[in-house]
Amino acid sequence: MATKKTAKKKASSRATKMVYFFGGEKADGNGTQKALLGGKGANLAEMALIGLPVPAGFTITTEVCTHYYENGRKWPSDLQNQIEKNIKKTEAVMGAKFGDLENPLLLSVRSGARESMPGMMDTILNLGINDDVVEALASKANDESFAYDSYRRFLQMYGEVVMGVEQKASEHHDPFEAILDKAKAKEKVENDSELSVAALKDIVAQFKKLIKTRTGKDFPQDPMAQLRGAVDAVFSSWQNDRAKVYRQKYGIPAEWGTAVNVQAMVFGNTGKTSGTGVAFTRDPATGENVFYGEYLIDAQGEDVVAGVRTPKQVKQMAKDLPSSHKQLLKIRKVLESHFKDVQDIEFTIEKGKLWMLQTRNGKRTGFAAVNIAVDMVNEKLISKETALQRIPAEDLSHLLSPIFDGPEEKKAKKVGSGLPAGPGAASGQIYFTAEAAVAAAAKGQKVILTRQETSPEDLRGMIAAEGILTTRGGASSHAALVARQMGKICVCGAHDMTVDYSKKTLTGGGVTLKEGDFLSLNGFVGSIYAGELKTAPSQVIQALLEGNAAAKRSQSYKKYDQLIKWADQYRKLGVRTNSDTPGQVKNAIAFGAEGIGLTRTEHMFFEGNRIDAVRQMILAEDNAGRAKALKKLLPYQKKDFTGIFEALDGRPATIRLLDPPLHEFIGTMTSQQIKELAKKLKVSPAFINRRINELHEENPMLGHRGCRLGIVYPEITKMQATAILEAAVEVGKKAKNKPQPEIMVPLVAYAKELELQKAVIDEAAAEVRLKYGLKKSELKYQVGTMIEIPRAALTANEVAEHAQFFSFGTNDLTQTGLGLSRDDSSSFLPAYQDAEVVNNNPFSQLDQTGVGQLVEIGVEKGRSAKPKLKVGICGEHGGDPESVKFCHRTGLNYVSCSPFRIPIAKLAAAQAALEDAPAPKKKATKKKTVAKKKTATKKKTARKK
Amino acid sequence: MATKKTAKKKASSRATKMVYFFGGEKADGNGTQKALLGGKGANLAEMALIGLPVPAGFTITTEVCTHYYENGRKWPSDLQNQIEKNIKKTEAVMGAKFGDLENPLLLSVRSGARESMPGMMDTILNLGINDDVVEALASKANDESFAYDSYRRFLQMYGEVVMGVEQKASEHHDPFEAILDKAKAKEKVENDSELSVAALKDIVAQFKKLIKTRTGKDFPQDPMAQLRGAVDAVFSSWQNDRAKVYRQKYGIPAEWGTAVNVQAMVFGNTGKTSGTGVAFTRDPATGENVFYGEYLIDAQGEDVVAGVRTPKQVKQMAKDLPSSHKQLLKIRKVLESHFKDVQDIEFTIEKGKLWMLQTRNGKRTGFAAVNIAVDMVNEKLISKETALQRIPAEDLSHLLSPIFDGPEEKKAKKVGSGLPAGPGAASGQIYFTAEAAVAAAAKGQKVILTRQETSPEDLRGMIAAEGILTTRGGASSHAALVARQMGKICVCGAHDMTVDYSKKTLTGGGVTLKEGDFLSLNGFVGSIYAGELKTAPSQVIQALLEGNAAAKRSQSYKKYDQLIKWADQYRKLGVRTNSDTPGQVKNAIAFGAEGIGLTRTEHMFFEGNRIDAVRQMILAEDNAGRAKALKKLLPYQKKDFTGIFEALDGRPATIRLLDPPLHEFIGTMTSQQIKELAKKLKVSPAFINRRINELHEENPMLGHRGCRLGIVYPEITKMQATAILEAAVEVGKKAKNKPQPEIMVPLVAYAKELELQKAVIDEAAAEVRLKYGLKKSELKYQVGTMIEIPRAALTANEVAEHAQFFSFGTNDLTQTGLGLSRDDSSSFLPAYQDAEVVNNNPFSQLDQTGVGQLVEIGVEKGRSAKPKLKVGICGEHGGDPESVKFCHRTGLNYVSCSPFRIPIAKLAAAQAALEDAPAPKKKATKKKTVAKKKTATKKKTARKK
């Protein structure tokens, strides 16, 4: 709220600077001001400052956008004035005048949020043309065709984006396109560029008429009115559906708002010495250190990104436009050494002169992120710290995703190939629209979204798909860009294949596939296969879990391994695993787990025919019957724990006592199973049914479970404690590194519960010592609790009196803290995300504002009673990067997560530790730095345990 | 914890005073030290100090008891030494010596906790006799029979209580009683007192043998060893089952411990000028200002309480023992003017000399409590403040309990009469054992526990019963005492009736009733009727709700009315009602409600055939279908609100929007109902079944309910808001006092939820204004939220930005805060109470330690954003006195409860306000006083709204 208010106040004050100029090697802002100027605006300023050729212009700040939404979509009073002043400056640098009838300046108007949201918001080009200016433009360029082509492009964009002309349900085509198509048909030409001037003039007239008919308003001839409309449209596009979906997916707050960049137009569509392109300073799919990009001769920028014309590789520019190519190669180096990162650039060449339109840090796959970061450290371009901080921790999951099984891929029917835009292997059923893809995914199908090209409207379908295939567009097309960012497997521009939307078919290699048929994509090399191919583990997995020597020699594994080693150097948080079997534990240790943070003992109850003994225990009507059944279970449990302790080789193991309501073990029986069980236990099926009914609960999540079972039936706790401790003793006899059992009592709400359960565990320990003739020091164990009930967090000082450790069970703490059942919330969480009540599913990413407070209170109060209390987290949030960082800031000792999340948790932990350090280079505001320093001081000691 | 630690530390220090002497008009302690000396010990000291004749003795503090339990039941090192010193002092005052063979001093050893727990713990009398002392006693009293009778009584008590001799399962009788019975049979006498000295000596020998055989140990001849055993036994009895049950019922913490009172024996069983009795300074059942009690000539004190011999009324003493009677009447006045309250006293007359053995504030019925308090104010004995503070708020419920319908009672078959020991009217089925009573009550029967006499073992049965009937014992018997305290209807000592345990019959008035037959008790007058009698409202109810003129003139109503007026003067908290219908609202206003704190709109959905429209709305598959159904519901809802606003006459009304999961409205349909509904709605039954399945939730409490419905289906919120506001406008047109609607959004976890719902409500308001042509100021309403999810409390500052009021929904806040489903917790809460994890059901009495923190955080954060935020509570805790006091301390503006709890809430609120005031007379420690003053300063302004 504070930020909002401040913004409001500032924006409404007369003195506030709302517009920032750039151009002519000067700029009001700079590259650090992304929050204020948006990414694009800040970097345009920065490029101007370092002397790169940037068309002059200015940026309207994000604060103005916030003001706009907080004030019924009205402009702050001084905005118009500031814009006019900056147009004057732009005119001065570019040597042309906005709306001038001799030497007119045209403008582009583009959105630019703090984080790039490619294609999500609106853009208007060629702004400033009217019926008079078009003539001036024609005579200035000495090219009437160019002038009227620009005018008709402008009219279409303005009509659609600003004035809201839409395709009607009754129309088969966009109405502007329809006019264009008619004109082409009349002149019997195929391309827009072949149209005669007369035709273009006629089109312009028709476009203006269309606008008037559809909107009831005339197209504004006043350039300044055009600009006002365009700025409003960009602001409005911040709240369009596409932008909202995108923000949800990436957790971008609606409050950020977008900046608006108004910039002098330069034209790549002015002949054979003109052109436009996009490029990456390194390969964004693999990370390879090569200049990588595409361009089109005689085209406007949007043509490249839209993927309609297939562009040329940037290396061909050496032939086509040698001097501009040379200049670009130089700029590539300047940019990387200035920004210390891979840059994603847009450029235009107007009659031989190179203009830089944009630079930003390039989005890249997880593979590329790791490769580039490690390479740049080796090139001494960046430090290890920067390398660690730069890779989104979540992206490491790309390196663990499956690939195709080699031999099988060789045998598979190849039907086409394209650009490898998103590495990995995906098999699934093809669907040709986003809607169909979403529907199929909702039914549980794996989907390959198959399109000629994708556009922002396809976003939901791309999210739902396993993989994406396009038959048009290059590595910089929308499909490639978005897939890369999402970590989706993607092959794009498969020109040897054909999509027929009307027949719903994909044809290639002599094969025609229908909607719903299986297709497989190899996103590493761009191969496309008919059918469903088996996958194999990634190289990193093969190296780590299968000890594959070739995989260990691979660049992919080596760089991964280097990165994790760096992460281990920096992180302060321990990283443990949630694992229930010896096999899982072994994998987790291969991934670098330092112990077990959570073993769920009940999972073991379902194995083999143990469930019979469990059910016998549950159905027992007295202690004797229960004791008998528990006696049967003891050796099973002991065997489980033995395997786990052996796999751990002396690492600590937090083992949670029985947690779920007993009903879960008997509620799911079929009547046949009930009959059989009744026979085994010598009771009637009616009796079993009665017990099932008795144990039924309205809200089992809040029912008789967790330690509530152990309080009512202490004999269960005792059996489990005995099994754990006997296993520890027996493994310990043979092993060099003794097991470190940590027995965890679940669902504690009252300190007394833990006290009572601890007494039972201690009693079991005394008996185990007696049985094996051990001294007290010869059987060590800890007793602690899960903090997963708000009351336990709020009274953590009392609970800590009886605990040697806490582990935050944030799954249940989220359920209780938000009053939200994980199982039931799926029916309304999507609506909640649409309404922006929540940005993330709180079961995936910890709700730091709410549930996080309970964690903070729990840690603070727990340590107030026991300063050295060991505290961890074992909810699924333990593998979510943002949540891991929160755990670091809150002073936890460790996080625990599933084996495959361990690398991610390690990297996030290292990043959190680095965020703690006083960071001179970062763009943090002064206030933030102070806050962070404070936190850092708190936790100077390493707390990996 | 702090208290425990302090106690431990003190008790283990050598310097700590563990034993407090009293006697000879002197005392170490005084009446204010109940926490340390127990109630009995503190008052013995106080009586000694004000010059009353108290047998000398000493009190071992409760801190020693705490030490005893914290140190494996061992004595602190200095205790023996301090006891010995105090025995010397006792000897000096009483002129006799413990264990002396000439002039032996005998001792009684009794428990005495901070609060009286009658009959729950153990007592040993006549301690100090051994084979030699008995002879000295005989010669001192010149009565061998008395000496050996005392010895055999002592042996039996000591054998049972200290040495643990028990009746075996194979025995039909207590083994001591069996020996006694045999001796009486041999001598052919009926009463113990008729036994010859020879027989008594033989009994003594047999008793000693019995102890040796059963325990393997000799009865200790050393008086000091006897004393040590007795003290241990009293400490141990603090943890016996009876005591635990009692503590649970009355919420007494186990940490308090008991003191032990060791006192010189005086003997009421030493002839016709001796006697013993118990009395109240006023009638504890009705409150009438008369000396009220019973005594027995030639008896020991336990005989009166046990109810075996029927005692005489105390006024008869004027004839039997005139001088002692006169002295007692004087003491009655001294005690009342000293203690400013009704006293419950025990006395013994030994050969003409009166000794006071105990005084304590008398337990009384709710009727008596109100009468006495108001009378004492009128007598200028106490202040209004004291009167208000003295009455347990809960006891006001006695005054609201039903009575018998007059005419019907006259026609009923009277089968007996007894002492009216617990006022009120009860009908139920008779059961003769506590077990049977508990079992029948568990089945939902109303039970009259019918016994010859009750003992502490019957406590569970008494708790389960509606009424209690005994055929023996007087108004001071166990049954009367406990019933009075529990507010149970009780008739005791119905000598004209006979209970036959073996046949399970109750006979009287020529009628024999069997187990399970109906019986009715009039506890006002002591009448007993066969069959089930209709009940009528109490006088207070008749006066308030029926406007009955005679009832209004009754003392009972007048004093009630006076008391509530005083409460209204002092309380700071507003008191509102939870009411869903105009009828309920009218009742609540008659009880003094100041508005509605909670109207549950969904209750209205079940009335008549509205449920069809509700179901139609739920089954709708699109907005149009839902809108149609909602349109049908609107007039119903509007009518409901109209009635409520009319009944309120301008008082504020908090109306909660739809809360329960939609499944609740359709999940309970039978297949027939489904068929019918399908027909009505023109859909298939299969469709309805599918929707029912879709809407089913695993944990509906945490599912799609509350504002989550309104977020997904804003049209529901809009319909409800429209109905509320239209009703408010239409009622307001005719009424002088305009309705004050307060629309409450339930189950908010995120501020954004409230923001969105408020927008819908505001939109509805705008439309209502338009419809009725009103200006903004002409339709006023507030929008607020229930705080019932921990996250809402933790982020209350954000939530408050959109709220005009908060109401704590402590039912759900308890469920989420404790992770405990109200519906499911009954299966293990009893075990939790047994294990002393919880003292009270957290759904009845707010868990102040845990859930209370969420309330405190919510209030603090809410007011940090909006200092004048109106805050109330509408969970059921709003009618629980302790919870009401908590609400006062936390600074709430009002509590809300069901209509019948309003008087209780008002009294509790007044008490809370009085507790705030700097109280010079109270025993609060310095620390507490400071804390309370702080709170008081915070809330200087009255906050009734």
PDB file of all heavy atoms in Angstrom, chain A residues 453-467:
ATOM      1  N   GLU A 453       1.922 -20.525 -36.579  1.00  0.00           N
ATOM      2  CA  GLU A 453       2.727 -19.596 -35.783  1.00  0.00           C
ATOM      3  C   GLU A 453       1.902 -19.304 -34.526  1.00  0.00           C
ATOM      4  O   GLU A 453       0.689 -19.494 -34.536  1.00  0.00           O
ATOM      5  CB  GLU A 453       2.995 -18.295 -36.545  1.00  0.00           C
ATOM      6  CG  GLU A 453       1.698 -17.603 -36.915  1.00  0.00           C
ATOM      7  CD  GLU A 453       1.841 -16.688 -38.123  1.00  0.00           C
ATOM      8  OE1 GLU A 453       2.541 -15.696 -37.994  1.00  0.00           O
ATOM      9  OE2 GLU A 453       1.239 -16.994 -39.175  1.00  0.00           O
ATOM     10  N   THR A 454       2.529 -18.869 -33.470  1.00  0.00           N
ATOM     11  CA  THR A 454       1.744 -18.555 -32.273  1.00  0.00           C
ATOM     12  C   THR A 454       1.668 -17.051 -32.092  1.00  0.00           C
ATOM     13  O   THR A 454       2.498 -16.306 -32.626  1.00  0.00           O
ATOM     14  CB  THR A 454       2.353 -19.155 -30.995  1.00  0.00           C
ATOM     15  OG1 THR A 454       3.630 -18.566 -30.779  1.00  0.00           O
ATOM     16  CG2 THR A 454       2.479 -20.664 -31.086  1.00  0.00           C
ATOM     17  N   SER A 455       0.670 -16.636 -31.340  1.00  0.00           N
ATOM     18  CA  SER A 455       0.534 -15.218 -31.015  1.00  0.00           C
ATOM     19  C   SER A 455       0.159 -15.146 -29.532  1.00  0.00           C
ATOM     20  O   SER A 455      -0.139 -16.170 -28.925  1.00  0.00           O
ATOM     21  CB  SER A 455      -0.565 -14.599 -31.875  1.00  0.00           C
ATOM     22  OG  SER A 455      -1.812 -15.084 -31.426  1.00  0.00           O
ATOM     23  N   PRO A 456       0.163 -13.942 -28.969  1.00  0.00           N
ATOM     24  CA  PRO A 456      -0.141 -13.851 -27.541  1.00  0.00           C
ATOM     25  C   PRO A 456      -1.470 -14.506 -27.167  1.00  0.00           C
ATOM     26  O   PRO A 456      -1.625 -14.987 -26.046  1.00  0.00           O
ATOM     27  CB  PRO A 456      -0.162 -12.344 -27.305  1.00  0.00           C
ATOM     28  CG  PRO A 456       0.812 -11.811 -28.303  1.00  0.00           C
ATOM     29  CD  PRO A 456       0.628 -12.651 -29.511  1.00  0.00           C
ATOM     30  N   GLU A 457      -2.423 -14.593 -28.100  1.00  0.00           N
ATOM     31  CA  GLU A 457      -3.703 -15.237 -27.795  1.00  0.00           C
ATOM     32  C   GLU A 457      -3.539 -16.717 -27.452  1.00  0.00           C
ATOM     33  O   GLU A 457      -4.438 -17.331 -26.880  1.00  0.00           O
ATOM     34  CB  GLU A 457      -4.682 -15.118 -28.979  1.00  0.00           C
ATOM     35  CG  GLU A 457      -5.467 -13.835 -29.029  1.00  0.00           C
ATOM     36  CD  GLU A 457      -4.662 -12.679 -29.584  1.00  0.00           C
ATOM     37  OE1 GLU A 457      -3.548 -12.928 -30.119  1.00  0.00           O
ATOM     38  OE2 GLU A 457      -5.115 -11.520 -29.470  1.00  0.00           O
ATOM     39  N   ASP A 458      -2.424 -17.298 -27.862  1.00  0.00           N
ATOM     40  CA  ASP A 458      -2.228 -18.724 -27.654  1.00  0.00           C
ATOM     41  C   ASP A 458      -1.621 -19.059 -26.294  1.00  0.00           C
ATOM     42  O   ASP A 458      -1.337 -20.221 -26.000  1.00  0.00           O
ATOM     43  CB  ASP A 458      -1.313 -19.289 -28.756  1.00  0.00           C
ATOM     44  CG  ASP A 458      -1.964 -19.179 -30.123  1.00  0.00           C
ATOM     45  OD1 ASP A 458      -3.182 -19.440 -30.195  1.00  0.00           O
ATOM     46  OD2 ASP A 458      -1.259 -18.837 -31.079  1.00  0.00           O
ATOM     47  N   LEU A 459      -1.410 -18.026 -25.470  1.00  0.00           N
ATOM     48  CA  LEU A 459      -0.631 -18.217 -24.257  1.00  0.00           C
ATOM     49  C   LEU A 459      -1.163 -19.343 -23.372  1.00  0.00           C
ATOM     50  O   LEU A 459      -0.414 -20.203 -22.915  1.00  0.00           O
ATOM     51  CB  LEU A 459      -0.595 -16.895 -23.481  1.00  0.00           C
ATOM     52  CG  LEU A 459       0.569 -16.800 -22.506  1.00  0.00           C
ATOM     53  CD1 LEU A 459       1.891 -16.869 -23.243  1.00  0.00           C
ATOM     54  CD2 LEU A 459       0.485 -15.512 -21.717  1.00  0.00           C
ATOM     55  N   ARG A 460      -2.491 -19.351 -23.150  1.00  0.00           N
ATOM     56  CA  ARG A 460      -3.057 -20.394 -22.284  1.00  0.00           C
ATOM     57  C   ARG A 460      -2.761 -21.790 -22.833  1.00  0.00           C
ATOM     58  O   ARG A 460      -2.477 -22.717 -22.086  1.00  0.00           O
ATOM     59  CB  ARG A 460      -4.572 -20.218 -22.162  1.00  0.00           C
ATOM     60  CG  ARG A 460      -4.971 -19.126 -21.193  1.00  0.00           C
ATOM     61  CD  ARG A 460      -6.492 -19.083 -21.105  1.00  0.00           C
ATOM     62  NE  ARG A 460      -6.952 -17.834 -20.508  1.00  0.00           N
ATOM     63  CZ  ARG A 460      -7.097 -17.658 -19.192  1.00  0.00           C
ATOM     64  NH1 ARG A 460      -6.832 -18.628 -18.354  1.00  0.00           N
ATOM     65  NH2 ARG A 460      -7.522 -16.503 -18.724  1.00  0.00           N
ATOM     66  N   GLY A 461      -2.848 -21.904 -24.144  1.00  0.00           N
ATOM     67  CA  GLY A 461      -2.565 -23.189 -24.775  1.00  0.00           C
ATOM     68  C   GLY A 461      -1.107 -23.577 -24.614  1.00  0.00           C
ATOM     69  O   GLY A 461      -0.780 -24.747 -24.403  1.00  0.00           O
ATOM     70  N   MET A 462      -0.225 -22.600 -24.677  1.00  0.00           N
ATOM     71  CA  MET A 462       1.202 -22.877 -24.531  1.00  0.00           C
ATOM     72  C   MET A 462       1.502 -23.323 -23.096  1.00  0.00           C
ATOM     73  O   MET A 462       2.315 -24.207 -22.872  1.00  0.00           O
ATOM     74  CB  MET A 462       2.012 -21.632 -24.891  1.00  0.00           C
ATOM     75  CG  MET A 462       1.816 -21.225 -26.350  1.00  0.00           C
ATOM     76  SD  MET A 462       2.598 -19.634 -26.750  1.00  0.00           S
ATOM     77  CE  MET A 462       4.251 -20.166 -27.191  1.00  0.00           C
ATOM     78  N   ILE A 463       0.813 -22.691 -22.152  1.00  0.00           N
ATOM     79  CA  ILE A 463       1.005 -23.073 -20.753  1.00  0.00           C
ATOM     80  C   ILE A 463       0.559 -24.518 -20.541  1.00  0.00           C
ATOM     81  O   ILE A 463       1.200 -25.285 -19.833  1.00  0.00           O
ATOM     82  CB  ILE A 463       0.231 -22.108 -19.822  1.00  0.00           C
ATOM     83  CG1 ILE A 463       0.863 -20.708 -19.865  1.00  0.00           C
ATOM     84  CG2 ILE A 463       0.204 -22.623 -18.389  1.00  0.00           C
ATOM     85  CD1 ILE A 463       0.057 -19.624 -19.164  1.00  0.00           C
ATOM     86  N   ALA A 464      -0.551 -24.882 -21.200  1.00  0.00           N
ATOM     87  CA  ALA A 464      -1.117 -26.211 -20.986  1.00  0.00           C
ATOM     88  C   ALA A 464      -0.316 -27.307 -21.685  1.00  0.00           C
ATOM     89  O   ALA A 464      -0.404 -28.470 -21.303  1.00  0.00           O
ATOM     90  CB  ALA A 464      -2.566 -26.233 -21.481  1.00  0.00           C
ATOM     91  N   ALA A 465       0.473 -26.929 -22.707  1.00  0.00           N
ATOM     92  CA  ALA A 465       1.125 -27.940 -23.548  1.00  0.00           C
ATOM     93  C   ALA A 465       2.438 -28.436 -22.953  1.00  0.00           C
ATOM     94  O   ALA A 465       3.104 -27.733 -22.198  1.00  0.00           O
ATOM     95  CB  ALA A 465       1.362 -27.361 -24.939  1.00  0.00           C
ATOM     96  N   GLU A 466       2.792 -29.669 -23.355  1.00  0.00           N
ATOM     97  CA  GLU A 466       4.120 -30.209 -23.019  1.00  0.00           C
ATOM     98  C   GLU A 466       5.165 -29.650 -23.966  1.00  0.00           C
ATOM     99  O   GLU A 466       6.302 -29.439 -23.596  1.00  0.00           O
ATOM    100  CB  GLU A 466       4.121 -31.732 -23.211  1.00  0.00           C
ATOM    101  CG  GLU A 466       3.214 -32.496 -22.298  1.00  0.00           C
ATOM    102  CD  GLU A 466       3.713 -32.482 -20.884  1.00  0.00           C
ATOM    103  OE1 GLU A 466       4.904 -32.782 -20.669  1.00  0.00           O
ATOM    104  OE2 GLU A 466       2.913 -32.156 -19.994  1.00  0.00           O
ATOM    105  N   GLY A 467       4.715 -29.502 -25.208  1.00  0.00           N
ATOM    106  CA  GLY A 467       5.646 -29.030 -26.222  1.00  0.00           C
ATOM    107  C   GLY A 467       4.915 -28.205 -27.261  1.00  0.00           C
ATOM    108  O   GLY A 467       3.691 -28.267 -27.370  1.00  0.00           O
TER     109      GLY A 467
END
